[in-house]
Amino acid sequence: MVLADAFGRVATDLRISLTDRCNLRCTYCMPVEGLDWLPRADVLTDEEILRLVTIGVARLGITTVRLTGGEPLLRKNLELLVADIAALSPAPEIALTTNGIGLAARAEKLAAAGLKRINISLDTLDPGTFTELAHRPRLPDVLAGVAAAREAGLNPVKINSVLLRGVNDHEAFDLLRWAMAEQVQLRFIEQMPLDPQHGWQRDGMITAAEIKQNLSQHVELVEDPEDALTRGSAPAELFRVVGTGYSVGIIAAVSKPFCGTCDRVRLTADGQIRNCLFARTESDLRTPLRSGASDSEIAALWVAAVANKQPGHGINDPSFLQPDRPMSAIGG
Ligand code: SAM
Ligand code: SF4
C-alpha cells in the first residue's frame, strides 16, 4: 500500500508535530499570550508516535520523518524517540525543524541517536528585532544551537527565515552574508496565512520576487541549473550567488505553489492526519489507536485520509479559507 491521492501524488514524507507548545512567540505563528494548549492526555505518547511511524514506514512507504511542532525540543525524550525511529526497518531518514533553543546541549546526542538533517529557524541577527519578532530575548541560544548542530555534523544545517515587512525585511542580505560565512544553507519562506490572528494579507507578504530583488541589490543571483534538474518535491527554488559556491533557497509557497509535486503528509500532536497544511478536514488516528485498532485498520484509515487530498492549497482562490489551527498546532 502507498499513500496516494487522486492526482497521482504519493506521500512519502511524514511530518510529525511533537507538541503544540513553544518557548517563542513568532508573530506569524503564535500569539504573545500563547494558545489554549492541547490537553496533555490528548497528545500522543512516544509509544503511540512510534507505532504510527512503524505503520507508515513498514506498510505505507514513508521514507522521511520530520519532527517538528510547536517546538520539538520541548519534548523531553526526543533523543530516545529519534533512536527508536532510526532503528525501524526500513530505516527512514530523520529530520528535525526547530527554533534551536536548547539545541546547543542536545545536538550531539540527537546526531548520535540517528538524526540526519536539521532546519533551524532564524529570522534576524539583531537581538532587538529577535525580541520584537519572537517576543523572547533568545537570539544567543539560537546562534549557539546553529553552531552546535554544525559541530555535531548535522551538515548541511538549513536555516529557515520568514521576512516580515517593516520588521526584518531589511535584513535579507545580512542573513545571506551570515549564512555564507557560517556555511549553512539559507532558505527564505514566504509568509503563509497560518497565523493565529488570521491577519495575513497578501499585500503585506514579502514575496519571493521581492526577496530576490532585494538580494540582487547586493549580489548577482542566477537560477541554479542543477536544482532545476534535481529539485523534485523540494519546496525551495535555489539561486546561485555568482562568484561564490553558494546557493540560496527561496520557498515561494504562496506566489509559486509547488502542490503538484507535494509528497508530504502531516500528523498533529493529538494524532490527526492532515493531508495538507491548509486542509479543512483532519482524520483521527488517535481514537482508533487507543481503542485497539489493528495496524491494518490504522493503515487503511491513513490511506483514505491521503486519498482525499486536494490538488492545491487554494490560497490564491477567492474562496480560500484559512484553516482553524495555526501553524504551531499543525506542525510546520
Ligand atoms: N518551532 C520550530 C521552528 O520554529 O522551526 C518548528 C515549528 S515552526 C511552525 C516550523 C517552520 O514554520 C518555521 O521555520 C517557521 O518559521 C515556519 N512558519 C511558522 N509560521 C509560518 C507562516 N505563517 N508562514 C510561513 N512559515 C511559517
Ligand atoms: Fe514557535 Fe516555531 Fe512558531 Fe516560532 S515558528 S512560535 S519557534 S513554533
Side-chain angles (χ1 to χ4, degrees):
M1 266 196 291
V2 289
L3 295 168
D5 65 38
F7 302 92
R9 296 166 298 186
V10 176
T12 54
D13 179 347
L14 171 61
R15 305 196 162 209
I16 306 175
S17 173
L18 295 181
T19 172
D20 59 330
R21 297 172 193 237
C22 190
N23 41 14
L24 292 183
R25 297 286 184 271
C26 307
T27 49
Y28 47 73
C29 182
M30 209 185 272
V32 185
E33 64 279 12
L35 291 161
D36 291 334
W37 309 126
L38 291 168
R40 296 237 182 238
D42 287 0
V43 175
L44 297 184
T45 63
D46 290 347
E47 291 71 27
E48 288 169 335
I49 292 171
L50 189 62
R51 171 138 183 245
L52 290 179
V53 177
T54 307
I55 294 171
V57 165
R59 296 175 177 249
L60 299 172
I62 293 296
T63 55
T64 303
V65 175
R66 177 169 293 278
L67 304 171
T68 179
E71 178 42 49
L73 290 177
L74 292 181
R75 190 102 186 191
K76 261 197 239 119
N77 295 326
L78 183 59
E79 290 81 352
L80 292 176
L81 182 62
V82 168
D84 284 342
I85 295 174
L88 295 176
S89 178
E93 185 166 63
I94 308 174
L96 179 72
T97 302
T98 171
N99 63 25
I101 295 174
L103 185 61
R106 296 173 77 181
E108 212 164 291
K109 286 179 225 147
L110 285 164
L115 184 69
K116 287 285 176 292
R117 294 197 273 134
I118 194 158
N119 288 47
I120 303 175
S121 303
L122 176 64
D123 303 325
T124 172
L125 296 164
D126 179 276
T129 307
F130 189 97
T131 307
E132 184 190 347
L133 207 153
H135 297 102
R136 302 283 188 275
R138 307 297 297 268
L139 178 62
D141 303 83
V142 180
L143 295 176
V146 173
R150 286 195 52 203
E151 277 158 31
L154 292 168
N155 292 309
V157 173
K158 288 189 180 167
I159 302 293
N160 292 356
S161 290
V162 177
L163 296 178
L164 301 182
R165 199 176 298 287
V167 180
N168 64 336
D169 53 332
H170 60 284
E171 279 192 73
F173 178 61
D174 294 340
L175 284 161
L176 175 61
R177 199 168 37 189
W178 170 83
M180 285 168 49
E182 295 290 322
Q183 295 175 328
V184 290
Q185 279 187 8
L186 178 63
R187 301 130 44 92
F188 290 103
I189 309 176
E190 281 181 344
Q191 189 194 353
M192 294 178 273
L194 288 168
D195 57 311
Q197 302 84 353
H198 288 220
W200 179 91
Q201 288 191 330
R202 175 173 307 276
D203 299 349
M205 178 188 84
I206 306 278
T207 62
E210 222 175 320
I211 297 167
K212 221 177 127 198
Q213 202 178 18
N214 183 331
L215 295 176
S216 299
Q217 289 170 13
H218 306 273
V219 287
E220 189 184 344
L221 297 180
V222 292
E223 274 175 34
D224 187 324
E226 274 169 41
D227 177 48
L229 297 174
T230 57
R231 184 171 168 199
S233 60
E237 195 173 353
L238 295 183
F239 297 94
R240 278 216 178 131
V241 180
V242 173
T244 72
Y246 192 86
S247 290
V248 59
I250 303 184
I251 302 184
V254 178
S255 65
K256 216 170 158 189
F258 33 82
C259 304
T261 56
C262 180
D263 62 357
R264 291 174 272 284
V265 58
R266 294 182 148 79
L267 176 67
T268 65
D270 55 347
Q272 311 297 305
I273 289 289
R274 293 183 64 93
N275 55 29
C276 174
L277 270 178
F278 296 94
R280 304 282 313 159
T281 56
E282 300 180 341
S283 304
D284 180 20
L285 292 191
R286 189 188 67 219
T287 306
L289 188 69
R290 290 184 179 175
S291 45
S294 68
D295 286 0
S296 339
E297 283 164 341
I298 290 172
L301 290 169
W302 197 338
V303 166
V306 174
N308 277 333
K309 182 164 168 151
Q310 296 296 307
H313 57 42
I315 298 175
N316 301 310
D317 299 343
S319 59
F320 173 74
L321 279 177
Q322 185 169 334
D324 296 330
R325 289 199 203 228
M327 183 66 126
S328 60
I330 297 173

